[in-house]
CSV table of all heavy atoms in Angstrom, one decimal:
chain,number,residue,atom,x,y,z
A,1,LEU,N,12.8,-24.7,-7.1
A,1,LEU,CA,12.8,-23.3,-7.5
A,1,LEU,C,11.9,-23.0,-8.6
A,1,LEU,O,11.2,-21.9,-8.7
A,1,LEU,CB,14.3,-22.9,-7.8
A,1,LEU,CG,14.6,-21.4,-7.9
A,1,LEU,CD1,14.3,-20.7,-6.6
A,1,LEU,CD2,16.0,-21.2,-8.3
A,2,TYR,N,11.8,-23.9,-9.6
A,2,TYR,CA,10.9,-23.7,-10.7
A,2,TYR,C,9.4,-23.6,-10.2
A,2,TYR,O,8.7,-22.7,-10.6
A,2,TYR,CB,11.0,-24.9,-11.6
A,2,TYR,CG,10.1,-24.9,-12.8
A,2,TYR,CD1,10.4,-24.1,-14.0
A,2,TYR,CD2,8.8,-25.5,-12.8
A,2,TYR,CE1,9.6,-24.1,-15.1
A,2,TYR,CE2,8.0,-25.5,-13.9
A,2,TYR,CZ,8.3,-24.7,-15.0
A,2,TYR,OH,7.5,-24.7,-16.1
A,3,GLU,N,9.0,-24.4,-9.2
A,3,GLU,CA,7.7,-24.3,-8.7
A,3,GLU,C,7.5,-23.0,-7.9
A,3,GLU,O,6.4,-22.4,-8.0
A,3,GLU,CB,7.4,-25.5,-7.7
A,3,GLU,CG,7.3,-26.8,-8.5
A,3,GLU,CD,6.2,-26.9,-9.5
A,3,GLU,OE1,5.1,-26.3,-9.3
A,3,GLU,OE2,6.4,-27.5,-10.6
A,4,ARG,N,8.5,-22.6,-7.2
A,4,ARG,CA,8.4,-21.3,-6.5
A,4,ARG,C,8.3,-20.1,-7.5
A,4,ARG,O,7.5,-19.2,-7.3
A,4,ARG,CB,9.7,-21.1,-5.7
A,4,ARG,CG,9.8,-19.8,-5.1
A,4,ARG,CD,9.3,-19.7,-3.6
A,4,ARG,NE,9.6,-18.5,-3.0
A,4,ARG,CZ,8.6,-17.7,-2.6
A,4,ARG,NH1,7.4,-18.1,-2.6
A,4,ARG,NH2,8.9,-16.5,-2.0
A,5,PHE,N,9.0,-20.2,-8.6
A,5,PHE,CA,9.0,-19.1,-9.6
A,5,PHE,C,7.6,-19.1,-10.3
A,5,PHE,O,7.2,-18.0,-10.7
A,5,PHE,CB,10.1,-19.2,-10.6
A,5,PHE,CG,11.5,-18.7,-10.1
A,5,PHE,CD1,11.6,-18.3,-8.7
A,5,PHE,CD2,12.6,-18.7,-10.9
A,5,PHE,CE1,12.9,-17.9,-8.3
A,5,PHE,CE2,13.8,-18.2,-10.5
A,5,PHE,CZ,14.0,-17.8,-9.1
A,6,ILE,N,7.0,-20.3,-10.5
A,6,ILE,CA,5.7,-20.3,-11.1
A,6,ILE,C,4.7,-19.5,-10.2
A,6,ILE,O,3.9,-18.7,-10.7
A,6,ILE,CB,5.2,-21.8,-11.3
A,6,ILE,CG1,5.9,-22.4,-12.5
A,6,ILE,CG2,3.7,-21.8,-11.5
A,6,ILE,CD1,5.6,-23.9,-12.7
A,7,LYS,N,4.8,-19.7,-8.9
A,7,LYS,CA,3.9,-19.0,-8.0
A,7,LYS,C,4.2,-17.5,-8.1
A,7,LYS,O,3.2,-16.7,-8.1
A,7,LYS,CB,4.1,-19.5,-6.6
A,7,LYS,CG,3.3,-18.9,-5.5
A,7,LYS,CD,3.5,-19.4,-4.2
A,7,LYS,CE,2.7,-18.6,-3.1
A,7,LYS,NZ,3.1,-19.0,-1.8
A,8,LEU,N,5.4,-17.1,-8.1
A,8,LEU,CA,5.8,-15.7,-8.1
A,8,LEU,C,5.5,-15.1,-9.4
A,8,LEU,O,5.3,-13.9,-9.5
A,8,LEU,CB,7.3,-15.5,-7.8
A,8,LEU,CG,7.7,-15.9,-6.3
A,8,LEU,CD1,9.2,-15.8,-6.2
A,8,LEU,CD2,7.0,-15.1,-5.3
A,9,GLU,N,5.5,-15.9,-10.5
A,9,GLU,CA,5.2,-15.4,-11.8
A,9,GLU,C,3.8,-14.8,-12.0
A,9,GLU,O,3.6,-14.0,-12.8
A,9,GLU,CB,5.4,-16.5,-12.8
A,9,GLU,CG,5.6,-16.1,-14.2
A,9,GLU,CD,6.0,-17.2,-15.1
A,9,GLU,OE1,7.0,-17.9,-14.9
A,9,GLU,OE2,5.2,-17.5,-16.1
A,10,THR,N,2.9,-15.1,-11.1
A,10,THR,CA,1.6,-14.5,-11.1
A,10,THR,C,1.6,-13.0,-10.8
A,10,THR,O,0.7,-12.3,-11.2
A,10,THR,CB,0.7,-15.2,-10.0
A,10,THR,OG1,1.2,-14.9,-8.7
A,10,THR,CG2,0.5,-16.7,-10.2
A,11,ARG,N,2.7,-12.6,-10.1
A,11,ARG,CA,2.9,-11.2,-9.7
A,11,ARG,C,1.9,-10.7,-8.8
A,11,ARG,O,1.8,-9.5,-8.7
A,11,ARG,CB,3.1,-10.4,-11.0
A,11,ARG,CG,4.2,-10.9,-11.9
A,11,ARG,CD,5.0,-9.9,-12.5
A,11,ARG,NE,6.0,-10.3,-13.5
A,11,ARG,CZ,6.7,-11.4,-13.8
A,11,ARG,NH1,6.4,-12.5,-13.1
A,11,ARG,NH2,7.6,-11.5,-14.7
A,12,ARG,N,1.1,-11.5,-8.2
A,12,ARG,CA,0.0,-11.1,-7.3
A,12,ARG,C,-0.1,-12.1,-6.1
A,12,ARG,O,0.1,-13.4,-6.3
A,12,ARG,CB,-1.3,-11.1,-8.0
A,12,ARG,CG,-1.5,-9.9,-8.8
A,12,ARG,CD,-2.2,-8.8,-7.9
A,12,ARG,NE,-2.3,-7.6,-8.6
A,12,ARG,CZ,-2.0,-6.4,-8.0
A,12,ARG,NH1,-1.5,-6.3,-6.8
A,12,ARG,NH2,-2.2,-5.3,-8.6
A,13,SER,N,-0.4,-11.7,-4.9
A,13,SER,CA,-0.7,-12.5,-3.8
A,13,SER,C,-2.0,-13.2,-4.1
A,13,SER,O,-2.8,-12.8,-4.9
A,13,SER,CB,-0.8,-11.8,-2.5
A,13,SER,OG,-1.8,-10.8,-2.6
A,14,ALA,N,-2.3,-14.3,-3.4
A,14,ALA,CA,-3.5,-15.1,-3.7
A,14,ALA,C,-4.8,-14.3,-3.5
A,14,ALA,O,-5.7,-14.4,-4.2
A,14,ALA,CB,-3.5,-16.3,-2.7
A,15,ASP,N,-4.7,-13.4,-2.5
A,15,ASP,CA,-5.9,-12.5,-2.3
A,15,ASP,C,-5.9,-11.2,-3.2
A,15,ASP,O,-6.9,-10.4,-3.1
A,15,ASP,CB,-6.1,-12.2,-0.8
A,15,ASP,CG,-5.0,-11.3,-0.3
A,15,ASP,OD1,-4.1,-10.9,-1.1
A,15,ASP,OD2,-5.0,-11.0,0.9
A,16,GLY,N,-4.9,-11.0,-3.9
A,16,GLY,CA,-4.8,-9.9,-4.8
A,16,GLY,C,-4.4,-8.6,-4.2
A,16,GLY,O,-4.4,-7.5,-4.8
A,17,SER,N,-4.1,-8.6,-2.9
A,17,SER,CA,-3.8,-7.4,-2.2
A,17,SER,C,-2.4,-6.9,-2.4
A,17,SER,O,-2.1,-5.7,-2.0
A,17,SER,CB,-4.1,-7.5,-0.7
A,17,SER,OG,-3.2,-8.5,-0.1
A,18,GLU,N,-1.5,-7.7,-2.8
A,18,GLU,CA,-0.1,-7.3,-3.0
A,18,GLU,C,0.3,-7.7,-4.4
A,18,GLU,O,0.0,-8.7,-5.0
A,18,GLU,CB,0.8,-8.1,-2.0
A,18,GLU,CG,0.5,-7.8,-0.6
A,18,GLU,CD,1.3,-8.7,0.4
A,18,GLU,OE1,1.7,-9.8,0.0
A,18,GLU,OE2,1.6,-8.2,1.5
A,19,ALA,N,1.2,-6.8,-4.9
A,19,ALA,CA,1.9,-7.1,-6.2
A,19,ALA,C,3.3,-7.7,-5.8
A,19,ALA,O,3.9,-7.2,-4.9
A,19,ALA,CB,2.1,-5.8,-7.0
A,20,TRP,N,3.6,-8.8,-6.4
A,20,TRP,CA,4.9,-9.4,-6.2
A,20,TRP,C,5.8,-9.1,-7.4
A,20,TRP,O,5.5,-9.7,-8.5
A,20,TRP,CB,4.7,-10.9,-6.1
A,20,TRP,CG,4.0,-11.4,-4.8
A,20,TRP,CD1,3.8,-10.6,-3.7
A,20,TRP,CD2,3.4,-12.6,-4.6
A,20,TRP,NE1,3.1,-11.4,-2.8
A,20,TRP,CE2,2.9,-12.6,-3.3
A,20,TRP,CE3,3.3,-13.8,-5.4
A,20,TRP,CZ2,2.2,-13.7,-2.8
A,20,TRP,CZ3,2.7,-14.9,-4.8
A,20,TRP,CH2,2.1,-14.8,-3.6
A,21,LEU,N,6.8,-8.3,-7.3
A,21,LEU,CA,7.6,-7.9,-8.4
A,21,LEU,C,9.0,-8.5,-8.1
A,21,LEU,O,9.7,-8.2,-7.1
A,21,LEU,CB,7.7,-6.4,-8.5
A,21,LEU,CG,6.3,-5.7,-8.5
A,21,LEU,CD1,6.4,-4.2,-8.5
A,21,LEU,CD2,5.5,-6.2,-9.7
A,22,ASN,N,9.5,-9.2,-9.1
A,22,ASN,CA,10.8,-9.9,-9.0
A,22,ASN,C,11.6,-9.7,-10.3
A,22,ASN,O,11.0,-10.0,-11.3
A,22,ASN,CB,10.6,-11.4,-8.7
A,22,ASN,CG,9.9,-11.6,-7.4
A,22,ASN,OD1,10.4,-11.6,-6.3
A,22,ASN,ND2,8.6,-11.8,-7.5
A,23,TRP,N,12.8,-9.4,-10.1
A,23,TRP,CA,13.7,-9.2,-11.3
A,23,TRP,C,15.0,-10.0,-11.1
A,23,TRP,O,15.6,-9.9,-10.1
A,23,TRP,CB,14.0,-7.7,-11.5
A,23,TRP,CG,12.9,-6.8,-11.9
A,23,TRP,CD1,12.5,-6.6,-13.2
A,23,TRP,CD2,12.1,-6.0,-11.1
A,23,TRP,NE1,11.4,-5.7,-13.2
A,23,TRP,CE2,11.2,-5.3,-11.9
A,23,TRP,CE3,12.0,-5.9,-9.7
A,23,TRP,CZ2,10.2,-4.5,-11.3
A,23,TRP,CZ3,11.1,-5.0,-9.1
A,23,TRP,CH2,10.2,-4.3,-10.0
A,24,VAL,N,15.4,-10.7,-12.2
A,24,VAL,CA,16.7,-11.3,-12.2
A,24,VAL,C,17.7,-10.2,-12.7
A,24,VAL,O,17.4,-9.5,-13.6
A,24,VAL,CB,16.7,-12.5,-13.2
A,24,VAL,CG1,18.1,-13.0,-13.5
A,24,VAL,CG2,15.8,-13.6,-12.8
A,25,LEU,N,18.8,-10.2,-12.0
A,25,LEU,CA,19.9,-9.3,-12.3
A,25,LEU,C,20.9,-9.9,-13.3
A,25,LEU,O,21.4,-11.0,-13.0
A,25,LEU,CB,20.7,-8.8,-11.1
A,25,LEU,CG,19.8,-8.2,-10.0
A,25,LEU,CD1,20.7,-7.9,-8.8
A,25,LEU,CD2,19.1,-7.0,-10.4
A,26,ARG,N,21.1,-9.2,-14.4
A,26,ARG,CA,22.1,-9.7,-15.4
A,26,ARG,C,23.1,-8.7,-15.7
A,26,ARG,O,22.8,-7.5,-15.8
A,26,ARG,CB,21.4,-10.0,-16.7
A,26,ARG,CG,20.5,-11.2,-16.7
A,26,ARG,CD,20.0,-11.6,-18.1
A,26,ARG,NE,19.0,-12.6,-18.0
A,26,ARG,CZ,19.3,-13.9,-17.8
A,26,ARG,NH1,20.6,-14.3,-17.6
A,26,ARG,NH2,18.4,-14.8,-17.7
A,27,LEU,N,24.4,-9.1,-15.8
A,27,LEU,CA,25.4,-8.2,-16.3
A,27,LEU,C,25.2,-8.0,-17.7
A,27,LEU,O,24.4,-8.7,-18.4
A,27,LEU,CB,26.8,-8.9,-16.1
A,27,LEU,CG,27.2,-9.2,-14.6
A,27,LEU,CD1,28.5,-10.0,-14.6
A,27,LEU,CD2,27.4,-7.9,-13.9
A,28,ARG,N,25.8,-7.0,-18.3
A,28,ARG,CA,25.7,-6.8,-19.7
A,28,ARG,C,26.1,-8.0,-20.6
A,28,ARG,O,25.6,-8.1,-21.7
A,28,ARG,CB,26.5,-5.5,-20.1
A,28,ARG,CG,26.0,-4.2,-19.6
A,28,ARG,CD,24.7,-3.9,-20.4
A,28,ARG,NE,24.1,-2.8,-19.8
A,28,ARG,CZ,22.8,-2.6,-19.9
A,28,ARG,NH1,22.0,-3.5,-20.5
A,28,ARG,NH2,22.2,-1.5,-19.4
A,29,SER,N,26.9,-8.8,-20.0
A,29,SER,CA,27.3,-10.1,-20.7
A,29,SER,C,26.2,-11.1,-20.8
A,29,SER,O,26.3,-12.0,-21.6
A,29,SER,CB,28.5,-10.7,-20.0
A,29,SER,OG,28.1,-11.2,-18.7
A,30,GLY,N,25.1,-10.8,-20.0
A,30,GLY,CA,24.0,-11.8,-20.0
A,30,GLY,C,24.0,-12.7,-18.8
A,30,GLY,O,23.1,-13.4,-18.5
A,31,LYS,N,25.1,-12.7,-18.0
A,31,LYS,CA,25.3,-13.6,-16.9
A,31,LYS,C,24.4,-13.2,-15.7
A,31,LYS,O,24.4,-12.0,-15.3
A,31,LYS,CB,26.7,-13.6,-16.4
A,31,LYS,CG,27.0,-14.5,-15.2
A,31,LYS,CD,28.4,-14.6,-14.9
A,31,LYS,CE,28.7,-15.5,-13.8
A,31,LYS,NZ,28.3,-16.9,-13.9
A,32,ALA,N,23.5,-14.1,-15.2
A,32,ALA,CA,22.7,-13.8,-14.1
A,32,ALA,C,23.6,-13.8,-12.8
A,32,ALA,O,24.4,-14.7,-12.6
A,32,ALA,CB,21.6,-14.9,-14.0
A,33,ILE,N,23.3,-12.8,-12.0
A,33,ILE,CA,24.2,-12.7,-10.7
A,33,ILE,C,23.3,-12.5,-9.5
A,33,ILE,O,23.9,-12.4,-8.4
A,33,ILE,CB,25.1,-11.5,-10.9
A,33,ILE,CG1,24.4,-10.2,-11.0
A,33,ILE,CG2,26.1,-11.7,-12.0
A,33,ILE,CD1,25.3,-8.9,-10.8
A,34,GLY,N,22.0,-12.5,-9.6
A,34,GLY,CA,21.2,-12.3,-8.4
A,34,GLY,C,19.8,-11.8,-8.7
A,34,GLY,O,19.3,-12.0,-9.9
A,35,TYR,N,19.1,-11.2,-7.7
A,35,TYR,CA,17.8,-10.7,-8.0
A,35,TYR,C,17.5,-9.5,-7.1
A,35,TYR,O,18.2,-9.3,-6.0
A,35,TYR,CB,16.7,-11.8,-7.8
A,35,TYR,CG,16.5,-12.3,-6.4
A,35,TYR,CD1,15.8,-11.6,-5.5
A,35,TYR,CD2,17.1,-13.5,-6.0
A,35,TYR,CE1,15.6,-12.1,-4.2
A,35,TYR,CE2,17.0,-14.0,-4.7
A,35,TYR,CZ,16.2,-13.3,-3.8
A,35,TYR,OH,16.0,-13.7,-2.5
A,36,VAL,N,16.5,-8.7,-7.4
A,36,VAL,CA,15.8,-7.8,-6.5
A,36,VAL,C,14.4,-8.1,-6.6
A,36,VAL,O,13.8,-8.6,-7.5
A,36,VAL,CB,16.1,-6.3,-7.0
A,36,VAL,CG1,17.6,-5.9,-6.7
A,36,VAL,CG2,15.7,-6.0,-8.4
A,37,GLN,N,13.7,-7.7,-5.5
A,37,GLN,CA,12.3,-8.0,-5.4
A,37,GLN,C,11.6,-6.9,-4.5
A,37,GLN,O,12.2,-6.3,-3.7
A,37,GLN,CB,12.0,-9.4,-4.9
A,37,GLN,CG,12.4,-9.6,-3.4
A,37,GLN,CD,12.1,-11.0,-3.0
A,37,GLN,OE1,12.3,-12.0,-3.7
A,37,GLN,NE2,11.7,-11.2,-1.7
A,38,ALA,N,10.3,-6.8,-4.8
A,38,ALA,CA,9.4,-5.9,-4.0
A,38,ALA,C,8.1,-6.5,-3.8
A,38,ALA,O,7.5,-7.0,-4.8
A,38,ALA,CB,9.4,-4.5,-4.7
A,39,THR,N,7.6,-6.4,-2.6
A,39,THR,CA,6.2,-6.7,-2.3
A,39,THR,C,5.5,-5.4,-2.1
A,39,THR,O,5.7,-4.7,-1.2
A,39,THR,CB,6.1,-7.6,-1.1
A,39,THR,OG1,6.8,-8.8,-1.3
A,39,THR,CG2,4.6,-8.0,-0.8
A,40,VAL,N,4.6,-5.1,-3.1
A,40,VAL,CA,3.9,-3.8,-3.0
A,40,VAL,C,2.5,-3.9,-2.5
A,40,VAL,O,1.7,-4.7,-3.0
A,40,VAL,CB,3.9,-3.1,-4.5
A,40,VAL,CG1,3.2,-1.8,-4.4
A,40,VAL,CG2,5.3,-3.0,-5.0
A,41,GLY,N,2.2,-3.2,-1.4
A,41,GLY,CA,0.9,-3.1,-0.9
A,41,GLY,C,0.0,-2.0,-1.4
A,41,GLY,O,0.5,-1.1,-2.1
A,42,ALA,N,-1.2,-2.1,-1.1
A,42,ALA,CA,-2.2,-1.1,-1.6
A,42,ALA,C,-2.0,0.3,-1.1
A,42,ALA,O,-2.4,1.3,-1.7
A,42,ALA,CB,-3.6,-1.5,-1.3
A,43,GLN,N,-1.3,0.5,0.0
A,43,GLN,CA,-1.1,1.8,0.6
A,43,GLN,C,0.2,2.5,0.2
A,43,GLN,O,0.6,3.4,0.8
A,43,GLN,CB,-1.1,1.7,2.1
A,43,GLN,CG,-2.4,1.0,2.7
A,43,GLN,CD,-3.6,1.7,2.2
A,43,GLN,OE1,-3.7,2.9,2.3
A,43,GLN,NE2,-4.6,0.9,1.8
A,44,GLY,N,0.8,2.1,-0.9
A,44,GLY,CA,2.0,2.7,-1.4
A,44,GLY,C,3.3,2.3,-0.7
A,44,GLY,O,4.3,3.0,-0.8
A,45,GLN,N,3.2,1.2,0.1
A,45,GLN,CA,4.4,0.7,0.7
A,45,GLN,C,5.0,-0.5,-0.1
A,45,GLN,O,4.2,-1.2,-0.6
A,45,GLN,CB,4.1,0.2,2.1
A,45,GLN,CG,3.8,1.3,3.1
A,45,GLN,CD,3.6,0.7,4.5
A,45,GLN,OE1,3.3,-0.4,4.7
A,45,GLN,NE2,3.9,1.6,5.5
């Protein structure tokens, strides 16, 4: 998972055509409970 997150931490696909946006979800207590993510293309999708 660490290696996977290093790749995702670039926030860009290898060819630069997509933004990779990933967020860890935390409760107000600070406890991690999941994630949301979006792969954003150049056409607004």
Side-chain angles (χ1 to χ4, degrees):
L1 195 58
Y2 180 82
E3 292 300 320
R4 172 95 175 122
F5 282 7
I6 285 176
K7 180 180 175 186
L8 295 173
E9 199 173 297
T10 65
R11 308 221 183 338
R12 281 269 175 225
S13 61
D15 65 4
S17 65
E18 297 174 334
W20 293 342
L21 308 174
N22 300 276
W23 292 272
V24 170
L25 304 178
R26 291 191 186 282
L27 297 173
R28 289 289 173 207
S29 67
K31 181 175 181 57
I33 63 166
Y35 68 82
V36 292
Q37 66 182 37
T39 301
V40 180
Q43 304 304 315
Q45 289 185 335

